[in-house]
Amino acid sequence: GAVVSQHPSWVICKSGTSVKIECRSLDFQATTMFWYRQFPKQSLMLMATSNEGSKATYEQGVEKDKFLINHASLTLSTLTVTSAHPEDSSFYICSASRGGERVTYGYTFGSGTRLTVV
Amino acid sequence: TQLLEQSPQFLSIQEGENLTVYCNSSSVFSSLQWYRQEPGEGPVLLVTVVTGGEVKKLKRLTFQFGDARKDSSLHITAAQPGDTGLYLCAGVRTGGFKTIFGAGTRLFVKA
């Protein structure tokens, strides 16, 4: 159990366009989802915490107008990179948690999305 | 400053060798997790340790949580090329909610 599906796995887009990445929990309801960014050979950097039915909480330095997060249901969170630029090229990963006491037991991660902005 | 310091950052060894990766902090954690990530994939949870002094084994991998719950180690016995990947420790500080990640240890096992 505890499968998280992330789509697309890779995307190439032109500078100035917007890209939407989906994160779905397939076999459980995820009250909380997290979005990370990972640069080559580096660890994960938390961008924002997405809570179902409420506004996302962004980490310091992350532009909320640039990275739009929507968590409209208990199984789906989306990250939209708006007006993408080459510096937004990165590996984006989501993770999901059932919330509550399970928070301390680890998260299930999606397989990641490689975004390349040309 | 990293709240979770991982060492070494990079490790290249021959197949069959043993290795230990460390994850240290000055903070107390309610739990620590170890993940392995392969290129182009998301991290996969290996283990969660919760109790101070706890030792967990997963085949050739042995995980230990420090008595004071400030540190953890991952020991791999007789490493194999399939163990190659980025190993990440992560945890939730006592009283906290957010998971903190270490910078990772990149392991390369040569055949």
Side-chain angles (χ1 to χ4, degrees):
Chain A
V3 178
V4 173
S5 173
Q6 192 172 335
H7 178 82
S9 55
W10 61 271
V11 58
I12 301 173
C13 71
K14 289 186 177 180
S15 188
T17 61
S18 295
V19 173
K20 181 185 284 187
I21 303 170
E22 293 187 350
C23 181
R24 293 180 185 274
S25 56
L26 298 186
D27 53 357
F28 68 101
Q29 292 183 328
T31 54
T32 306
M33 290 185 175
F34 302 88
W35 287 96
Y36 297 85
R37 185 172 179 176
Q38 187 176 33
F39 293 101
K41 299 184 179 181
Q42 294 189 25
S43 187
L44 281 70
M45 182 190 79
L46 179 65
M47 298 175 65
T49 301
S50 171
N51 298 297
E52 186 269 336
S54 63
K55 289 183 179 180
T57 303
Y58 289 82
E59 295 300 302
Q60 193 172 10
V62 178
E63 299 175 60
K64 53 185 71 175
D65 294 331
K66 174 77 172 173
F67 300 99
L68 299 179
I69 290 172
N70 185 279
H71 194 155
S73 77
L74 285 170
T75 59
L76 173 64
S77 176
T78 61
L79 167 67
T80 302
V81 183
T82 62
S83 187
H85 291 286
E87 57 265 30
D88 298 324
S89 299
S90 192
F91 193 54
Y92 293 88
I93 312 174
C94 69
S95 72
S97 164
R98 287 180 171 87
E101 72 283 358
R102 291 186 181 273
V103 167
T104 63
Y105 288 89
Y107 296 92
T108 302
F109 284 85
S111 55
T113 298
R114 170 77 54 197
L115 170 63
T116 302
V117 185
V118 297
Chain B
T1 304
Q2 284 278 349
L3 286 170
L4 275 175
E5 296 281 350
Q6 266 188 259
S7 61
Q9 292 182 347
F10 181 80
L11 194 55
S12 179
I13 60 172
Q14 289 292 139
E15 181 177 6
E17 292 183 7
N18 302 331
L19 67 116
T20 302
V21 176
Y22 300 93
C23 181
N24 296 299
S25 177
S26 58
S27 299
V28 178
F29 284 77
S30 59
S31 68
L32 275 179
Q33 296 91 45
W34 284 93
Y35 295 85
R36 182 171 75 206
Q37 184 182 22
E38 298 189 21
E41 297 289 331
V44 175
L45 179 66
L46 296 175
V47 79
T48 296
V49 285
V50 178
T51 306
E54 182 177 6
V55 177
K56 282 191 173 179
K57 291 194 174 185
L58 186 66
K59 296 183 180 178
R60 293 177 293 101
L61 278 60
T62 302
F63 304 86
Q64 188 162 5
F65 200 12
D67 291 340
R69 292 187 287 132
K70 293 182 178 181
D71 55 87
S72 181
S73 64
L74 158 60
H75 182 80
I76 301 179
T77 304
Q80 298 176 0
D83 296 326
T84 293
L86 177 67
Y87 288 81
L88 296 160
C89 70
V92 179
R93 285 188 292 180
T94 302
F97 171 77
K98 196 180 299 184
T99 294
I100 299 166
F101 280 86
T105 294
R106 192 163 296 277
L107 172 65
F108 182 65
V109 182
K110 294 175 281 188

